[in-house]
Amino acid sequence: MAVSSSSASTSSAGAASIDVASIVAQLMTVENKPLDALAAKISQQQVVISDLGTIKSKVSALGDMLKAFQNPASYNSAVASTTDSTILQANAANGAIPGSYNVTVGSTASASKFTISGYSSMTDLAGINSVAGFSITVGSTTYNTLGTPAGTPSLAASATIGDLRNWINGLGVNVNASLVQTTDSSHYALMIQGTQTGVANALSYAGLDMVSGPSIVITSGSADVPTITESASVTFNALTAGQTLVIGGLTFTAGTSGATADQVAAAFAGIANEETYTSINTDKGLGDASGGAFTAGSLSAWSSGSATGANIVFTSDISNSNVDNLVSSGSAGGLTATTVSTAQDAAFTINGTDFVRSSNAVGDVIDGVALNLVSSSGTTQVLNIARGADNSKQTIANLISAYNDLVSTYKSMTANPSNSSANKLGTFANSPTVLSFIGDIKSKLSSGATYGSPDPVTGKLSTISLSAMGMDLQLDGTIKFNDAAYALASNKGLQSILSAGVKIGGVTGTLSSNPRVTTTQGTASSNESASVAFSSMSPNETLSFAGLTFKAGSSGASAAQVASAFSSLSPAGTTADSFNSSKSLSALTGGTFTSGVLTGWSSAGAIGTSVVFTSTTSNADVADLTSTQTAGTTDLLAFINSQVGTNGVLSLEILAKTTASSNLTKHQADLQARLLTIQNNLTAQYSALNALLYQLSSTSTALSSAFTALTNSQSSN
């Protein structure tokens, strides 16, 4: 933005002498010209960056469509079916080979599952052994609440069942624990199960003191015999401090010193139906001295008799009926451990071959087919894989659309009077070489495609042209879909060809000549050296030298670029990535080091295409320096990926333009600051001049008045 002129006053307490604002504005118009030119340059740079981004996105889109076109799975839509989906299910991915298979599911994979029931709430004591702790083994590793192995959190023996659940889940391994309500709010169970099936993922646990509940002997009631009402003879056990016992809806919690069996019986004795825990505590004066107190509930549907030692008889409040039996729960109510299932592998047979897997989801037996073993059965299931509809036409159409979109954008951005009737010049009309790689894309695309396996005699791949697949190249560089040609190709088995895997421009490149190495043998007083004359390299060709592997870019590398990459290498042991960074190697410099470390040699600076290497082993005749080369390819997809990748020509060009734009913007800010200083100085100078002129004018007026007065005075005399 140009610096504007000041609106400073043009006079000083009187008539204007000079127009300061106008003079400064005219002077700044001249000063602002470099700034205006710089702003225009920045604006143009932003357009270039934006258009390069557009081209990059179009090239990426073409790469995506080309990848789909070359993927065999794009043409092999497949459908799987089984004779009984309650035993065996299957899904076929694109590319699965049609066929029929006989499958017998001997057993399905399962995970370890355990249930410990008998808890009355989530705050009941878990019953962890105070000496050994609670341990759980997952696969081959055992975790213990005592804090083993290292890093495992510890858990006190006095932990609740909720604490134990959280500890198990907090291990972060293939096990899950949950607390579930079973029959009512006074009955809970801890469920522990593996999250993965198979013997290798088996679980086991130890260290829970399985408390024995009170002995309850039931005498069932009878609706047919009026005198027989259900009763339950309960013989209690002693409780440790904090243990809870739930019977008939009442919860008793042992005191700080625990409770003897007789004390527990005394607490439960002589209670009427529906009597609440608070009234019982008050009536009996229960507390630590009596072994504990009731902490919740009321006696429901039962009444209790007097205690005989540790024994009490409970009688149902429902007369003459065989009611639900009286049960106990809580941390002292008796725990029951149940093994729901043990971990086992899946065993099945396919076409007479036996297989064992740890999971019921099997995807590594039949290519492209995912099996789901639902249940075991002695009946052989038939699995059919059939080929689905041919969708090659749409895949080809998508490729044509992406390519034509790129070509259209390219033509617009390079438009000039010689190649376009449009009056508007394209962004790259005067620098079309920036997008010269589009020509490489056209060339590689027009070369057709290879497919199948190499011929055993010639080593060559089968080829197919674009036109043979229904893609006609037009004079304007675009592609037109040819329905007739496609229909003919489809009838001749085009889908089978595409399903075998095609590669556009997939012709193997040629090796360049090997670097010429002239060795000067080492001696007791001199290190071995090797003068290396490098050759140019084909696109994507690799050269291994002194422990480092250099890969030429998608446009190849000149001999001088290769020599520059291998020059000034030291010290030994430096990695390929380090050299790429320190030497700023990229596709623009001919290629990059892809692997290795500098081994046994260091190199001097390049002289043209030659570099001298010196052995880092002193005073020894070492193994001579040798090279290894591999051919590159002209694969179009690889070329496209190299253009849009992080170190690709497009990405680097965008980075370079962005950096240049940032530098211009910084220069613009600096120039604006300097121009503002100039403007302020000019305004100050001309304002000072204006003030001086005003003072001179005032002095002149005063002198004139004095002379007039003097003259008049003399005339009157």
mmCIF file of all heavy atoms in Angstrom, residues 215-252:
data_model
loop_
_atom_site.group_PDB
_atom_site.id
_atom_site.type_symbol
_atom_site.label_atom_id
_atom_site.label_comp_id
_atom_site.label_asym_id
_atom_site.label_seq_id
_atom_site.Cartn_x
_atom_site.Cartn_y
_atom_site.Cartn_z
ATOM 1 N N SER A 215 -25.112 -71.320 56.866
ATOM 2 C CA SER A 215 -25.804 -72.537 56.418
ATOM 3 C C SER A 215 -27.305 -72.317 56.530
ATOM 4 O O SER A 215 -27.817 -71.961 57.594
ATOM 5 C CB SER A 215 -25.378 -73.735 57.278
ATOM 6 O OG SER A 215 -26.191 -74.849 56.997
ATOM 7 N N ILE A 216 -28.015 -72.470 55.429
ATOM 8 C CA ILE A 216 -29.469 -72.273 55.398
ATOM 9 C C ILE A 216 -30.147 -73.568 54.972
ATOM 10 O O ILE A 216 -29.921 -74.057 53.857
ATOM 11 C CB ILE A 216 -29.847 -71.118 54.445
ATOM 12 C CG1 ILE A 216 -29.133 -69.810 54.857
ATOM 13 C CG2 ILE A 216 -31.361 -70.915 54.427
ATOM 14 C CD1 ILE A 216 -29.399 -68.648 53.935
ATOM 15 N N VAL A 217 -30.943 -74.118 55.881
ATOM 16 C CA VAL A 217 -31.670 -75.356 55.582
ATOM 17 C C VAL A 217 -33.156 -75.009 55.454
ATOM 18 O O VAL A 217 -33.774 -74.502 56.391
ATOM 19 C CB VAL A 217 -31.469 -76.414 56.686
ATOM 20 C CG1 VAL A 217 -32.256 -77.682 56.353
ATOM 21 C CG2 VAL A 217 -29.979 -76.727 56.848
ATOM 22 N N ILE A 218 -33.717 -75.250 54.288
ATOM 23 C CA ILE A 218 -35.086 -74.848 53.982
ATOM 24 C C ILE A 218 -36.075 -76.000 54.224
ATOM 25 O O ILE A 218 -35.836 -77.140 53.823
ATOM 26 C CB ILE A 218 -35.201 -74.386 52.519
ATOM 27 C CG1 ILE A 218 -34.242 -73.218 52.242
ATOM 28 C CG2 ILE A 218 -36.635 -73.994 52.172
ATOM 29 C CD1 ILE A 218 -34.556 -71.966 52.995
ATOM 30 N N THR A 219 -37.163 -75.680 54.892
ATOM 31 C CA THR A 219 -38.316 -76.588 54.970
ATOM 32 C C THR A 219 -39.425 -75.916 54.177
ATOM 33 O O THR A 219 -39.982 -74.895 54.601
ATOM 34 C CB THR A 219 -38.770 -76.812 56.414
ATOM 35 O OG1 THR A 219 -37.686 -77.370 57.164
ATOM 36 C CG2 THR A 219 -39.968 -77.753 56.460
ATOM 37 N N SER A 220 -39.724 -76.468 53.021
ATOM 38 C CA SER A 220 -40.661 -75.815 52.115
ATOM 39 C C SER A 220 -42.078 -75.812 52.658
ATOM 40 O O SER A 220 -42.518 -76.755 53.333
ATOM 41 C CB SER A 220 -40.643 -76.510 50.743
ATOM 42 O OG SER A 220 -39.368 -76.414 50.165
ATOM 43 N N GLY A 221 -42.790 -74.740 52.355
ATOM 44 C CA GLY A 221 -44.202 -74.665 52.716
ATOM 45 C C GLY A 221 -45.052 -75.433 51.721
ATOM 46 O O GLY A 221 -44.573 -75.940 50.704
ATOM 47 N N SER A 222 -46.355 -75.522 52.023
ATOM 48 C CA SER A 222 -47.252 -76.266 51.149
ATOM 49 C C SER A 222 -48.609 -75.578 51.106
ATOM 50 O O SER A 222 -49.198 -75.260 52.143
ATOM 51 C CB SER A 222 -47.427 -77.702 51.636
ATOM 52 O OG SER A 222 -48.404 -78.366 50.870
ATOM 53 N N ALA A 223 -49.107 -75.374 49.902
ATOM 54 C CA ALA A 223 -50.443 -74.796 49.756
ATOM 55 C C ALA A 223 -51.520 -75.820 50.052
ATOM 56 O O ALA A 223 -52.664 -75.474 50.360
ATOM 57 C CB ALA A 223 -50.607 -74.262 48.332
ATOM 58 N N ASP A 224 -51.134 -77.102 49.982
ATOM 59 C CA ASP A 224 -52.120 -78.166 50.192
ATOM 60 C C ASP A 224 -52.282 -78.523 51.662
ATOM 61 O O ASP A 224 -53.307 -79.073 52.079
ATOM 62 C CB ASP A 224 -51.706 -79.426 49.410
ATOM 63 C CG ASP A 224 -51.637 -79.163 47.911
ATOM 64 O OD1 ASP A 224 -52.444 -78.335 47.425
ATOM 65 O OD2 ASP A 224 -50.765 -79.744 47.243
ATOM 66 N N VAL A 225 -51.240 -78.235 52.452
ATOM 67 C CA VAL A 225 -51.295 -78.570 53.882
ATOM 68 C C VAL A 225 -51.241 -77.259 54.658
ATOM 69 O O VAL A 225 -50.166 -76.657 54.808
ATOM 70 C CB VAL A 225 -50.137 -79.490 54.297
ATOM 71 C CG1 VAL A 225 -50.259 -79.855 55.776
ATOM 72 C CG2 VAL A 225 -50.097 -80.739 53.425
ATOM 73 N N PRO A 226 -52.370 -76.764 55.144
ATOM 74 C CA PRO A 226 -52.426 -75.438 55.773
ATOM 75 C C PRO A 226 -51.473 -75.245 56.931
ATOM 76 O O PRO A 226 -51.087 -74.122 57.229
ATOM 77 C CB PRO A 226 -53.882 -75.338 56.236
ATOM 78 C CG PRO A 226 -54.616 -76.278 55.338
ATOM 79 C CD PRO A 226 -53.692 -77.421 55.084
ATOM 80 N N THR A 227 -51.091 -76.320 57.573
ATOM 81 C CA THR A 227 -50.234 -76.161 58.753
ATOM 82 C C THR A 227 -48.755 -76.023 58.414
ATOM 83 O O THR A 227 -47.937 -75.772 59.289
ATOM 84 C CB THR A 227 -50.423 -77.371 59.694
ATOM 85 O OG1 THR A 227 -50.106 -78.566 58.980
ATOM 86 C CG2 THR A 227 -51.847 -77.426 60.193
ATOM 87 N N ILE A 228 -48.428 -76.198 57.146
ATOM 88 C CA ILE A 228 -46.999 -76.162 56.763
ATOM 89 C C ILE A 228 -46.686 -74.831 56.076
ATOM 90 O O ILE A 228 -47.086 -74.594 54.940
ATOM 91 C CB ILE A 228 -46.632 -77.340 55.844
ATOM 92 C CG1 ILE A 228 -46.940 -78.679 56.519
ATOM 93 C CG2 ILE A 228 -45.161 -77.259 55.447
ATOM 94 C CD1 ILE A 228 -46.643 -79.882 55.661
ATOM 95 N N THR A 229 -46.012 -73.947 56.800
ATOM 96 C CA THR A 229 -45.514 -72.672 56.251
ATOM 97 C C THR A 229 -44.001 -72.788 56.105
ATOM 98 O O THR A 229 -43.325 -73.350 56.968
ATOM 99 C CB THR A 229 -45.867 -71.522 57.193
ATOM 100 O OG1 THR A 229 -47.289 -71.428 57.314
ATOM 101 C CG2 THR A 229 -45.322 -70.203 56.661
ATOM 102 N N GLU A 230 -43.472 -72.244 55.027
ATOM 103 C CA GLU A 230 -42.032 -72.404 54.764
ATOM 104 C C GLU A 230 -41.204 -71.793 55.878
ATOM 105 O O GLU A 230 -41.506 -70.721 56.398
ATOM 106 C CB GLU A 230 -41.642 -71.754 53.427
ATOM 107 C CG GLU A 230 -40.160 -71.934 53.097
ATOM 108 C CD GLU A 230 -39.867 -71.889 51.611
ATOM 109 O OE1 GLU A 230 -40.615 -72.525 50.834
ATOM 110 O OE2 GLU A 230 -38.889 -71.238 51.234
ATOM 111 N N SER A 231 -40.123 -72.507 56.239
ATOM 112 C CA SER A 231 -39.191 -72.023 57.255
ATOM 113 C C SER A 231 -37.765 -72.267 56.805
ATOM 114 O O SER A 231 -37.513 -73.055 55.889
ATOM 115 C CB SER A 231 -39.438 -72.723 58.594
ATOM 116 O OG SER A 231 -39.198 -74.115 58.475
ATOM 117 N N ALA A 232 -36.835 -71.565 57.456
ATOM 118 C CA ALA A 232 -35.426 -71.701 57.110
ATOM 119 C C ALA A 232 -34.597 -71.670 58.371
ATOM 120 O O ALA A 232 -34.666 -70.710 59.140
ATOM 121 C CB ALA A 232 -34.988 -70.582 56.174
ATOM 122 N N SER A 233 -33.855 -72.750 58.592
ATOM 123 C CA SER A 233 -32.970 -72.819 59.753
ATOM 124 C C SER A 233 -31.606 -72.294 59.335
ATOM 125 O O SER A 233 -30.951 -72.858 58.453
ATOM 126 C CB SER A 233 -32.853 -74.263 60.244
ATOM 127 O OG SER A 233 -31.954 -74.343 61.321
ATOM 128 N N VAL A 234 -31.175 -71.171 59.982
ATOM 129 C CA VAL A 234 -29.942 -70.499 59.579
ATOM 130 C C VAL A 234 -28.903 -70.611 60.684
ATOM 131 O O VAL A 234 -29.166 -70.232 61.831
ATOM 132 C CB VAL A 234 -30.200 -69.013 59.277
ATOM 133 C CG1 VAL A 234 -28.914 -68.326 58.830
ATOM 134 C CG2 VAL A 234 -31.287 -68.860 58.230
ATOM 135 N N THR A 235 -27.735 -71.153 60.328
ATOM 136 C CA THR A 235 -26.612 -71.227 61.260
ATOM 137 C C THR A 235 -25.550 -70.248 60.782
ATOM 138 O O THR A 235 -25.004 -70.381 59.687
ATOM 139 C CB THR A 235 -26.027 -72.650 61.323
ATOM 140 O OG1 THR A 235 -27.064 -73.567 61.698
ATOM 141 C CG2 THR A 235 -24.898 -72.712 62.328
ATOM 142 N N PHE A 236 -25.255 -69.256 61.618
ATOM 143 C CA PHE A 236 -24.375 -68.156 61.211
ATOM 144 C C PHE A 236 -22.906 -68.478 61.436
ATOM 145 O O PHE A 236 -22.551 -69.347 62.245
ATOM 146 C CB PHE A 236 -24.745 -66.882 61.977
ATOM 147 C CG PHE A 236 -26.100 -66.341 61.608
ATOM 148 C CD1 PHE A 236 -27.233 -66.716 62.325
ATOM 149 C CD2 PHE A 236 -26.247 -65.465 60.544
ATOM 150 C CE1 PHE A 236 -28.483 -66.218 61.986
ATOM 151 C CE2 PHE A 236 -27.486 -64.967 60.208
ATOM 152 C CZ PHE A 236 -28.624 -65.340 60.920
ATOM 153 N N ASN A 237 -22.046 -67.735 60.719
ATOM 154 C CA ASN A 237 -20.587 -67.795 60.889
ATOM 155 C C ASN A 237 -20.103 -66.472 61.477
ATOM 156 O O ASN A 237 -20.810 -65.463 61.432
ATOM 157 C CB ASN A 237 -19.884 -68.027 59.550
ATOM 158 C CG ASN A 237 -20.280 -69.342 58.913
ATOM 159 O OD1 ASN A 237 -20.421 -70.353 59.599
ATOM 160 N ND2 ASN A 237 -20.462 -69.335 57.584
ATOM 161 N N ALA A 238 -18.897 -66.486 62.018
ATOM 162 C CA ALA A 238 -18.299 -65.259 62.529
ATOM 163 C C ALA A 238 -17.964 -64.324 61.364
ATOM 164 O O ALA A 238 -17.696 -64.777 60.238
ATOM 165 C CB ALA A 238 -17.051 -65.582 63.332
ATOM 166 N N LEU A 239 -17.960 -63.009 61.594
ATOM 167 C CA LEU A 239 -17.637 -62.016 60.573
ATOM 168 C C LEU A 239 -16.399 -61.232 60.994
ATOM 169 O O LEU A 239 -16.193 -60.962 62.171
ATOM 170 C CB LEU A 239 -18.803 -61.029 60.378
ATOM 171 C CG LEU A 239 -20.189 -61.587 60.078
ATOM 172 C CD1 LEU A 239 -21.172 -60.439 59.857
ATOM 173 C CD2 LEU A 239 -20.160 -62.482 58.853
ATOM 174 N N THR A 240 -15.593 -60.855 59.999
ATOM 175 C CA THR A 240 -14.448 -59.979 60.276
ATOM 176 C C THR A 240 -14.914 -58.533 60.178
ATOM 177 O O THR A 240 -15.997 -58.233 59.670
ATOM 178 C CB THR A 240 -13.310 -60.221 59.268
ATOM 179 O OG1 THR A 240 -13.793 -59.969 57.951
ATOM 180 C CG2 THR A 240 -12.811 -61.654 59.348
ATOM 181 N N ALA A 241 -14.079 -57.613 60.669
ATOM 182 C CA ALA A 241 -14.434 -56.189 60.712
ATOM 183 C C ALA A 241 -14.841 -55.694 59.326
ATOM 184 O O ALA A 241 -14.131 -55.905 58.344
ATOM 185 C CB ALA A 241 -13.267 -55.373 61.236
ATOM 186 N N GLY A 242 -15.992 -55.039 59.249
ATOM 187 C CA GLY A 242 -16.456 -54.434 58.011
ATOM 188 C C GLY A 242 -17.204 -55.356 57.080
ATOM 189 O O GLY A 242 -17.789 -54.898 56.095
ATOM 190 N N GLN A 243 -17.197 -56.671 57.323
ATOM 191 C CA GLN A 243 -17.933 -57.578 56.460
ATOM 192 C C GLN A 243 -19.432 -57.339 56.606
ATOM 193 O O GLN A 243 -19.927 -56.950 57.664
ATOM 194 C CB GLN A 243 -17.615 -59.040 56.792
ATOM 195 C CG GLN A 243 -16.326 -59.547 56.168
ATOM 196 C CD GLN A 243 -16.192 -61.058 56.294
ATOM 197 O OE1 GLN A 243 -16.456 -61.618 57.369
ATOM 198 N NE2 GLN A 243 -15.792 -61.708 55.225
ATOM 199 N N THR A 244 -20.143 -57.567 55.505
ATOM 200 C CA THR A 244 -21.598 -57.382 55.509
ATOM 201 C C THR A 244 -22.293 -58.703 55.234
ATOM 202 O O THR A 244 -21.779 -59.563 54.512
ATOM 203 C CB THR A 244 -22.028 -56.359 54.452
ATOM 204 O OG1 THR A 244 -21.631 -56.825 53.163
ATOM 205 C CG2 THR A 244 -21.415 -54.997 54.714
ATOM 206 N N LEU A 245 -23.485 -58.839 55.795
ATOM 207 C CA LEU A 245 -24.300 -60.028 55.581
ATOM 208 C C LEU A 245 -25.730 -59.569 55.342
ATOM 209 O O LEU A 245 -26.292 -58.820 56.148
ATOM 210 C CB LEU A 245 -24.246 -60.957 56.808
ATOM 211 C CG LEU A 245 -25.166 -62.188 56.758
ATOM 212 C CD1 LEU A 245 -24.780 -63.115 55.610
ATOM 213 C CD2 LEU A 245 -25.108 -62.938 58.087
ATOM 214 N N VAL A 246 -26.295 -59.964 54.204
ATOM 215 C CA VAL A 246 -27.658 -59.581 53.854
ATOM 216 C C VAL A 246 -28.539 -60.816 53.872
ATOM 217 O O VAL A 246 -28.268 -61.792 53.156
ATOM 218 C CB VAL A 246 -27.710 -58.914 52.463
ATOM 219 C CG1 VAL A 246 -29.148 -58.474 52.145
ATOM 220 C CG2 VAL A 246 -26.764 -57.728 52.395
ATOM 221 N N ILE A 247 -29.594 -60.771 54.702
ATOM 222 C CA ILE A 247 -30.572 -61.863 54.764
ATOM 223 C C ILE A 247 -31.960 -61.240 54.878
ATOM 224 O O ILE A 247 -32.192 -60.350 55.708
ATOM 225 C CB ILE A 247 -30.322 -62.806 55.959
ATOM 226 C CG1 ILE A 247 -29.031 -63.607 55.757
ATOM 227 C CG2 ILE A 247 -31.486 -63.771 56.145
ATOM 228 C CD1 ILE A 247 -28.739 -64.598 56.858
ATOM 229 N N GLY A 248 -32.862 -61.684 54.037
ATOM 230 C CA GLY A 248 -34.251 -61.246 54.105
ATOM 231 C C GLY A 248 -34.441 -59.757 53.935
ATOM 232 O O GLY A 248 -35.437 -59.200 54.412
ATOM 233 N N GLY A 249 -33.480 -59.059 53.279
ATOM 234 C CA GLY A 249 -33.604 -57.627 53.055
ATOM 235 C C GLY A 249 -32.856 -56.774 54.050
ATOM 236 O O GLY A 249 -32.740 -55.556 53.870
ATOM 237 N N LEU A 250 -32.350 -57.352 55.128
ATOM 238 C CA LEU A 250 -31.598 -56.620 56.138
ATOM 239 C C LEU A 250 -30.094 -56.776 55.905
ATOM 240 O O LEU A 250 -29.616 -57.878 55.611
ATOM 241 C CB LEU A 250 -31.943 -57.125 57.538
ATOM 242 C CG LEU A 250 -33.196 -56.547 58.207
ATOM 243 C CD1 LEU A 250 -33.478 -57.303 59.505
ATOM 244 C CD2 LEU A 250 -33.024 -55.058 58.485
ATOM 245 N N THR A 251 -29.360 -55.653 56.065
ATOM 246 C CA THR A 251 -27.908 -55.694 55.909
ATOM 247 C C THR A 251 -27.260 -55.460 57.266
ATOM 248 O O THR A 251 -27.468 -54.417 57.895
ATOM 249 C CB THR A 251 -27.428 -54.620 54.923
ATOM 250 O OG1 THR A 251 -28.029 -54.834 53.657
ATOM 251 C CG2 THR A 251 -25.906 -54.659 54.773
ATOM 252 N N PHE A 252 -26.446 -56.459 57.703
ATOM 253 C CA PHE A 252 -25.717 -56.350 58.960
ATOM 254 C C PHE A 252 -24.245 -56.152 58.637
ATOM 255 O O PHE A 252 -23.670 -56.875 57.810
ATOM 256 C CB PHE A 252 -25.896 -57.621 59.803
ATOM 257 C CG PHE A 252 -25.174 -57.580 61.122
ATOM 258 C CD1 PHE A 252 -25.726 -56.929 62.221
ATOM 259 C CD2 PHE A 252 -23.928 -58.186 61.271
ATOM 260 C CE1 PHE A 252 -25.051 -56.878 63.437
ATOM 261 C CE2 PHE A 252 -23.256 -58.150 62.478
ATOM 262 C CZ PHE A 252 -23.825 -57.493 63.575
#
